[in-house]
Amino acid sequence: MRQDERLEEGALIARAKNGDMDAYESLVRLFQHRIYRLCWRMTGAHQSADDMAQETFIKAFQALSRFRDGQDFYPWIRRIAVNTTLNYLQAHKREEPLGDREPSVPDELPQDELQRREAEDRFQEAWQALPSDQRAVFTLRVVENQSYREIAESLHLAPGTVMSRLNRARRKLKDALADFLERRRG
Amino acid sequence: MRHRKVLALLGSYLDGELDPRLRDGIEAHLRGCPACSKERDALRAVDALAANARLPQAPPTYWETFAGRVTAGLRGLELPISRKETAMFQDSFIKPERRTATRAVVFPLSLAAHAIIAALLIIFPLLQTGNVPRIEITSAFLAPPPPPPPPPPPPAKKASTSNVKRIKPVQAQTNFEAGKLVAPVEIPDQIAEEQISDVGIEGGVEGGVEGGVIGGVLGGVVGGVLGGVVGEVEAPVRAIGEIKPPRLIKQVDPTYPEIARQARVEGIVILEAQTDLYGRVATMKILRSIPLLDQAALDAVRQWVYEPMIINGRPRGVIFTVTVRFTLK
């Protein structure tokens, strides 16, 4: 993160803490993409991701007084986002995830693009089949690049649980995509 | 290192979370094991797919309005919660989940209140048996016609000479003179057959009774019957008309039979009681019966004592009706 961005972030947080809504709106703009993506990966649907991202920022504003100055804002709000989304997913466990259906792929796309899209579709399918807790751990590890210890702290889990969930998630994804991976290698 | 252990640790190996000793062991194994190397490559490919997964392309307007919607939501939260919820749920049957703690307290209280009301409505009236409306019995009981008046008292005993004055001497009126035959004036149309009485005195009365004994023994038997009639008990009188029922001296309340109480039987038992010379109840007869209550009435009345009835200076038994009322309290 660049220095000026960091300074801007700190200033915005300080103003938002004093109830400045405009400052908080600017702060939201700084992080909205990252938080939305994180939520989207965990929920797999635009509507839920949007709801969770909105809720994350609202909760963050309400908890802003507990934010320690000098701390990085993203890890702090990421933790809120992950827990908010996990709670939501736990509460809506039985509901079929409302996956976003992309329009069917036109035939005139180049071969590479077709393959890439197929890979993504296959991955999405396998990804949606994962249990939400495994999806959360896997997202934090592979996408957010957090260490086991950080994941364990933010999800209030034992490091051993993080490891076993990651292993299970990887194995399931690998099994679901085995034929596809084989074909690509061959 | 075994395959199984390697496979279990491969993920952590890829994540760089293993301590150096384990990591070196796995690397050594991977060098000599194509199967495990293949597995590692597959896991790497999965990670790469996840990291490079295409993200949805939200329209640009979405990002322009996102922050504004967040702050609008925050400003909305500052509204009173009740107003917000009223607006949101006014058309819904689903109530918002709140005030659970209040309900946790109110619910047992509500249960208790319902139980108390139920007790008041059901159990309390059951205990209050006295409030059952009492049915007044209006039917009258007619005693059987009185027996003919008792025969006149026998001649006073010698001992009670003072009472003799009460008896008026009656002058017997006779149409004939004793010892003189009188020819009939008219010839009767019919001659009634002589009624031969079986009760006649066997052998007849020697010399016959001249003129018969009409009107009894005039003036009584002078000197009376010596010693009187020992143990003579005069027939009891019925308390009708002039003769009032005797005054009750000792009354014993009947005990309400438990079975009748449980069956909630109540009413009036009417007895005909007869007192002896001393006013004690001697015999009883039930005139109006309530099967469950009869015995209790009899048991109680048997112990009652009345003022002895003196008629013509002599104690007499009295027959009268006694009403025993049973009411539940």
Side-chain angles (χ1 to χ4, degrees):
Chain A
M1 190 184 287
R2 292 204 306 275
Q3 192 62 31
D4 55 341
E5 261 183 29
R6 182 124 193 203
L7 284 174
E8 189 193 347
E9 183 187 310
L12 287 174
I13 292 167
R15 279 168 58 199
K17 270 188 175 177
N18 292 326
D20 186 341
M21 279 293 181
D22 295 335
Y24 190 65
E25 199 173 317
S26 306
L27 197 62
V28 172
R29 280 182 207 286
L30 277 181
F31 293 98
Q32 59 188 12
H33 290 82
R34 274 185 274 178
I35 294 300
Y36 170 83
R37 269 182 226 142
L38 177 64
C39 294
W40 187 85
R41 281 185 199 278
M42 285 174 70
T43 60
H46 168 73
Q47 193 54 54
S48 320
D50 177 47
D51 286 350
M52 290 305 105
Q54 293 267 344
E55 199 174 329
T56 299
F57 282 111
I58 287 170
K59 278 185 178 172
F61 182 79
Q62 289 165 338
L64 209 54
S65 59
R66 293 200 291 277
F67 178 79
R68 288 198 308 277
D69 293 324
Q71 204 182 349
D72 274 346
F73 188 69
Y74 181 65
W76 183 77
I77 199 169
R78 177 174 62 195
R79 204 159 152 168
I80 296 175
V82 169
N83 284 310
T84 303
T85 311
L86 269 183
N87 285 342
Y88 167 82
L89 290 172
Q90 289 291 326
H92 297 76
K93 221 175 203 171
R94 290 173 181 279
E95 287 176 20
E96 193 69 22
L98 209 72
D100 297 323
R101 285 269 151 242
E102 297 278 320
S104 58
V105 182
D107 290 337
E108 60 265 26
L109 281 172
Q111 192 64 25
D112 289 0
E113 180 64 14
L114 274 177
Q115 271 191 355
R116 198 180 65 80
R117 290 225 173 171
E118 192 201 351
E120 279 165 2
D121 287 349
R122 287 293 304 274
F123 180 78
Q124 261 324 308
E125 204 178 302
W127 181 249
Q128 289 297 334
L130 281 184
S132 57
D133 50 354
Q134 292 177 19
R135 229 183 308 167
V137 172
F138 194 75
T139 303
L140 289 178
R141 171 63 215 139
V142 176
V143 181
E144 299 288 323
N145 215 15
Q146 282 193 282
S147 71
Y148 285 12
R149 193 176 52 78
E150 286 169 322
I151 297 169
E153 273 175 17
S154 64
L155 295 182
H156 305 287
L157 295 172
T161 312
V162 173
M163 189 173 149
S164 66
R165 282 189 187 172
L166 266 175
N167 273 341
R168 264 179 275 155
R170 278 200 173 108
R171 189 147 304 148
K172 277 183 193 163
L173 285 174
K174 191 207 74 179
D175 291 347
L177 299 168
D179 62 318
F180 174 74
L181 291 172
E182 197 67 36
R183 195 146 40 89
R184 224 167 57 156
R185 279 158 61 113
Chain B
M1 201 177 273
R2 288 186 179 184
H3 286 290
R4 240 173 101 178
K5 193 176 177 189
V6 170
L7 289 178
L9 290 171
L10 260 183
S12 304
Y13 166 74
L14 289 175
D15 290 332
E17 292 274 348
L18 291 180
D19 60 49
R21 197 175 50 80
L22 274 173
R23 193 187 58 212
D24 293 347
I26 285 176
E27 278 172 353
H29 178 93
L30 286 172
R31 277 193 291 273
C33 178
C36 288
S37 300
K38 197 179 159 195
E39 176 80 7
R40 176 199 59 195
D41 294 344
L43 291 183
R44 264 193 189 145
V46 166
D47 280 13
L49 273 175
N52 300 324
R54 182 170 43 97
L55 284 166
Q57 294 301 311
T61 48
Y62 174 76
W63 295 116
E64 280 165 24
T65 57
F66 184 88
R69 283 189 292 135
V70 169
T71 45
L74 280 169
R75 288 196 184 96
L77 283 181
E78 286 161 14
L79 290 172
I81 287 169
S82 58
R83 224 185 96 195
K84 262 191 72 189
E85 282 182 347
T86 309
M88 192 186 294
F89 291 108
Q90 61 188 357
D91 295 327
S92 170
F93 288 111
I94 303 162
K95 293 277 176 276
E97 281 295 323
R98 63 193 178 96
R99 297 192 304 171
T100 318
T102 319
R103 268 183 286 169
V105 177
V106 170
F107 181 66
L109 287 178
S110 163
L111 272 185
H114 279 79
I116 290 167
I117 291 168
L120 285 176
L121 288 178
I122 298 166
I123 299 165
F124 197 63
L126 287 179
L127 297 174
Q128 290 291 97
T129 51
N131 292 344
V132 177
R134 181 176 299 166
I135 300 164
E136 286 296 331
I137 294 163
T138 50
S139 57
F141 293 94
L142 298 174
K157 294 171 190 168
K158 227 179 181 179
S160 55
T161 44
S162 60
N163 289 336
V164 172
K165 288 170 192 168
R166 289 193 193 167
I167 303 168
K168 282 183 182 173
V170 178
Q171 194 66 48
Q173 305 225 333
T174 53
N175 296 332
F176 56 88
E177 287 173 43
K180 195 176 177 183
L181 283 171
V182 179
V185 180
E186 289 173 356
I187 300 165
D189 293 335
Q190 286 184 335
I191 297 165
E193 276 186 32
E194 256 186 40
Q195 299 274 329
I196 297 160
S197 172
D198 292 340
V199 203
I201 300 157
E202 214 174 325
V205 178
E206 211 174 328
V209 179
E210 227 172 342
V213 183
I214 294 168
V217 181
L218 276 177
V221 180
V222 179
V225 181
L226 266 179
V229 182
V230 179
E232 181 194 26
V233 176
E234 290 148 342
V237 292
R238 200 165 272 277
I240 286 171
E242 286 291 305
I243 302 169
K244 297 277 183 285
R247 195 161 63 84
L248 188 60
I249 299 172
K250 180 192 169 198
Q251 182 177 15
V252 177
D253 285 336
T255 50
Y256 214 113
E258 194 52 41
I259 188 164
R261 191 191 299 282
Q262 281 171 6
R264 301 175 57 73
V265 171
E266 54 182 3
I268 297 169
V269 175
I270 298 177
L271 309 170
E272 189 183 75
Q274 181 188 323
T275 55
D276 62 8
L277 297 179
Y278 307 102
R280 295 175 303 206
V281 175
T283 59
M284 286 169 292
K285 196 166 80 182
I286 291 170
L287 298 180
R288 180 175 192 269
S289 164
I290 295 175
L292 287 177
L293 301 173
D294 287 349
Q295 194 54 48
L298 290 172
D299 290 346
V301 174
R302 187 173 290 123
Q303 301 170 64
W304 291 6
V305 178
Y306 289 87
E307 198 169 63
M309 177 72 80
I310 309 282
I311 296 173
N312 289 346
R314 295 172 67 87
R316 294 280 292 272
V318 190
I319 299 169
F320 52 94
T321 55
V322 178
T323 305
V324 184
R325 186 187 290 268
F326 288 88
T327 47
L328 286 165
K329 280 174 188 159

